[in-house]
Structure formats: structure tokens, C-alpha cells
Amino acid sequence: MTQDELKQAVARAALDYIKPKLYDNSVIGVGTGSTANYFIDYLAEIKADIFACVASSEASAQRLKSHGIPVYDLNSVDEVTFYIDGADESNPQLALIKGGGAALTREKIVAAVAREFICIADDSKWVKHLGNFPLPVEVIPMARSHVARELVKLGGDPIYREGVVTDNGNIILDIYNFIIPNPRQIEQDINNITGVVSNGLFALRPADVLLLGGKDGVKQIREG
Ligand code: 5RP
């Protein structure tokens, strides 16, 4: 199977996972990226059964709307029943690196609100230790140099992602060559730098379940 076929398989598995658990007012949080896009396309098949979605990016909101799926502002819903999103890396604790698509802050907000966070990924994203994928950090533009200097002090090599402006009007620094021995601590340390909006480590709020696609099918993994 190609990587794209694996992404489709996990997106389909996510739909099968949530379908029996939906109730009348279910609000579905929808992530960003190519795997999440497949999920959006499958979600359209059951749009009559869901109350509404909230989206973690303008791009996903547009895709949902193009299928005729109602998209609500997060502030106007009482709860998010499920949040379904891809990842750039997952470790066995289901701590993630996300933000390859620069949507990390809104993704983190929706994940924080969600009752259940379902991560969907092909098995190229499965790692023992996080950090091979450069860690994205969303930064207020005027703080770019300051934050970069502080990230160097933490041991990484931050690189400005040229030409990218987030949905929140900020910039992204990607941290290369960064050893992440304790993801929860590093997540907090980076958040403590003045000028950082958020970072792509999802360790304080990891996924609840990972649907991981490989050559033997889709595995359902919980923290282990
Ligand atoms: C976007 C993300 C994506 O979930 C992550 O980059 C994975 O993307 P894809 O499904 O295209 O491999 O965090 O900000």
C-alpha cells in the first residue's frame, strides 16, 4: 500500500470508530493536513448524523463547508465530542509532534477541548523518541529573533519557515537537531519563552487513541 492509501485507510477507520458513538448533538473537531482531508471527505457520507464540526484551520473549514457540513466557531459549542487529526510523529505514549501544516495552535486548542482525541497516521509517523521531525513553534512576528536565541539555549537549531503566515497571523520556527528526552517538560519550557504562541509538542495533552495504518491493516493503539 502507498502512504496515501494508508492515510485513506486510517481516515476510514476513524469514521468507523466514531460512527457508533455519535449522539444527537455531537460536535466533531477536525484537524488539518492530508490525512485529515481524507477524513473530511469520508465524514461527508454521514453529515446527516452530526450536529456540526469545528475546524483547526481555515483550510479544513473550507473543505468541510464545500461538502455542506456546518462549521461552528469553537466558542459557540459547549463541547467537542471527538477531535480527529493527523500527526508528524507519535511515540508509544501517544505524545505527538504536530504542526507540519502550521496549524498547531488551533489544533492544540481543539484537542484541549475535546473529550476524545483520535490521532490518525500512517506508520511512517511512528517513532520511539520524538524529535527527528523538526519541531514547529508558532511565534509572534516581532519576537522571532528573541525566541530563536532562546531555542538555541534549549539545544535546538531553529529555522524560520520562509513564506508561511499562520491563520493567526504569526510565523513558524522549526527546531532541527533537537533532542527531546522529556516531551512534557520541553513542551512547557518552550511555552515559557516570551513571544511563543504554542509549540507542536502534544505531550501534556497527548492523543487518547492512535489509529495507525501499516501493511497489516489499521492498529488501534492506546498509551502503553
Ligand atoms: C498540520 C498537522 C498535520 O496533522 C501533520 O502535519 C500531518 O499531516 P499529514 O496528514 O499531511 O501527513 O499537524 O499542522
Side-chain angles (χ1 to χ4, degrees):
M1 273 175 121
T2 64
Q3 189 181 23
D4 237 34
E5 287 167 338
L6 293 177
K7 290 180 180 193
Q8 288 172 37
V10 294
R12 171 64 66 189
L15 191 76
D16 293 342
Y17 182 93
I18 63 168
K19 240 184 337 193
K21 299 181 179 185
L22 291 173
Y23 48 88
D24 279 357
N25 292 333
S26 291
V27 175
I28 313 295
V30 177
T32 300
S34 54
T35 320
N37 280 345
Y38 285 125
F39 175 73
I40 293 171
D41 296 345
Y42 295 143
L43 191 63
E45 295 169 12
I46 61 158
K47 64 182 177 193
D49 300 332
I50 54 175
F51 175 65
C53 287
V54 294
S56 68
S57 63
E58 300 298 338
S60 291
Q62 283 314 315
R63 197 175 184 101
L64 286 159
K65 287 177 190 166
S66 76
H67 286 297
I69 300 172
V71 180
Y72 280 37
D73 185 292
L74 183 62
N75 293 308
S76 64
V77 300
D78 289 334
E79 66 160 45
V80 174
T81 319
F82 300 105
Y83 178 54
I84 297 97
D85 198 0
D88 299 301
E89 284 185 351
S90 173
N91 74 8
Q93 288 71 46
L94 307 192
L96 313 171
I97 288 183
K98 290 185 47 53
L104 57 152
T105 299
R106 294 188 186 194
E107 292 172 341
K108 204 171 256 199
I109 294 168
V110 183
V113 176
R115 283 172 54 182
E116 188 170 5
F117 176 7
I118 303 153
C119 182
I120 50 178
D122 66 85
D123 61 3
S124 69
K125 312 291 182 70
W126 180 250
V127 297
K128 204 165 170 194
H129 301 290
L130 299 174
N132 199 33
F133 190 91
L135 177 64
V137 182
E138 180 165 353
V139 177
I140 302 284
M142 72 172 286
R144 186 179 89 197
S145 300
H146 165 68
V147 171
R149 285 190 291 268
E150 295 301 307
L151 293 173
V152 169
K153 286 183 199 163
L154 289 180
D157 294 333
I159 305 284
Y160 172 47
R161 204 185 291 182
E162 293 278 352
V164 171
V165 177
T166 70
D167 284 349
N168 313 307
N170 298 313
I171 60 107
I172 298 285
L173 295 174
D174 292 304
I175 317 178
Y176 286 76
N177 307 313
F178 197 33
I179 297 166
I180 304 175
N182 180 344
R184 291 168 65 92
Q185 185 61 51
I186 300 281
E187 183 176 350
Q188 278 174 323
D189 290 346
I190 296 174
N191 284 344
N192 283 345
I193 300 170
T194 302
V196 166
V197 178
S198 74
N199 70 84
L201 273 172
F202 285 57
L204 297 166
R205 200 294 182 232
D208 297 305
V209 59
L210 169 65
L211 301 177
L212 189 71
K215 64 176 170 29
D216 299 326
V218 177
K219 278 193 238 166
Q220 200 180 108
I221 299 171
R222 290 180 188 273
E223 188 194 339

